[in-house]
Amino acid sequence: MKTLRTHTSHLVTVVLLLLGMMTAASAQAQAAPQRVTGSTTICSFSPIPAGWVITSSYSSWGCPGSGVSYSITDTAGQTNLTICSFSPKPAGWVVTSSYSTSNCAGSGVAYGFHNVANDLNVSACSMTPIPAGWVISSSYSSSNCAGTGVAYSLHNTVNDTSTGACSMTPIPTGWVVTSSYSTSNCAGTGIAYTLFKITTQTSAVVCSFSPLPAGWVVSSYYTSSNCYGSGVAYNIRKA
């Protein structure tokens, strides 16, 4: 009988321990819910999670106040998506096309959306956000970009120390404009820049409209035909 009571006591202890572990695991799961991924539907007045995009919008009785629902999709792990023109646009993606659609109530316009993580060159519509470190290497008329009718060739400067770009380009941090000239390859401005990345240099010659890297100063200036638009160049040096 003593042995039976001992075994029974041990069994009860094990069961209680297992129940305790299950309860703790359940509480932990409730305390730290997993991030929802994939696609879902929300009312248009609901906040859109970071990294998600609106793939369609439509009238909905289920959303009193706005009467509009959104279909939204997580961009994680995606390369190409179709989004409504008013959708949030996560960093690292570009608009590759735009066109009329009945799937986007509110604007009637959809965008082809592309993740440039694995690209060095890509074509995009002129209304696109431009990823950090990328420049506009050319611009041209395009029927694929309803709304502006203009497309950009974009280039990633990650492996470069010099490159050419249209004058409307964002200039990456640490880069300067060393010359500018007239060109038919940059529809909209007709002007291109030669860009140069400052690395170990302590002095450089730049056009007067060039951004100056942090910690650099202008030491002198002079007239220059290499700087179309201003006709003035700066000698700059690291302070």
Side-chain angles (χ1 to χ4, degrees):
M1 292 296 291
K2 182 177 180 180
T3 301
L4 180 60
R5 284 197 300 271
T6 300
H7 288 169
T8 301
S9 176
H10 288 167
L11 179 60
V12 170
T13 300
V14 170
V15 170
L16 290 174
L17 286 171
L18 288 173
L19 288 172
M21 292 171 65
M22 292 172 64
T23 301
S26 176
Q28 184 177 10
Q30 292 178 10
Q34 295 297 308
R35 179 174 181 263
V36 176
T37 58
S39 300
T40 191
T41 300
I42 62 172
C43 290
S44 60
F45 51 77
S46 179
I48 297 172
W52 288 62
V53 292
I54 301 168
T55 55
S56 68
S57 66
Y58 50 91
S59 298
S60 172
W61 289 105
C63 294
S66 70
V68 176
S69 286
Y70 289 160
S71 294
I72 62 173
T73 295
D74 189 356
T75 60
Q78 304 279 358
T79 301
N80 294 287
L81 289 167
T82 298
I83 66 172
C84 292
S85 58
F86 47 80
S87 173
K89 298 169 184 65
W93 288 69
V94 297
V95 176
T96 55
S97 64
S98 66
Y99 51 92
S100 298
T101 178
S102 59
N103 290 329
C104 294
S107 72
V109 176
Y111 289 161
F113 208 42
H114 175 69
N115 186 340
V116 299
N118 297 316
D119 299 322
L120 289 177
N121 298 283
V122 70
S123 294
C125 293
S126 60
M127 77 286 285
T128 190
I130 298 176
W134 287 67
V135 296
I136 302 168
S137 54
S138 68
S139 63
Y140 51 93
S141 298
S142 174
S143 59
N144 290 328
C145 297
T148 66
V150 176
Y152 290 158
S153 294
L154 300 180
H155 174 68
N156 189 346
T157 63
V158 64
N159 297 320
D160 300 334
T161 54
S162 64
T163 192
C166 294
S167 60
M168 77 285 283
T169 193
I171 299 175
T173 302
W175 287 69
V176 294
V177 180
T178 57
S179 70
S180 64
Y181 50 93
S182 177
T183 177
S184 60
N185 290 329
C186 294
T189 65
I191 298 174
Y193 290 161
T194 301
L195 302 179
F196 180 74
K197 183 179 182 180
I198 298 295
T199 53
T200 60
Q201 293 80 11
T202 57
S203 64
V205 176
V206 303
C207 292
S208 58
F209 43 78
S210 173
L212 293 183
W216 285 65
V217 296
V218 177
S219 56
S220 63
Y221 70 94
Y222 57 93
T223 59
S224 173
S225 60
N226 290 328
C227 294
Y228 181 86
S230 73
V232 176
Y234 289 161
N235 286 308
I236 64 173
R237 61 179 174 79
K238 199 168 186 179

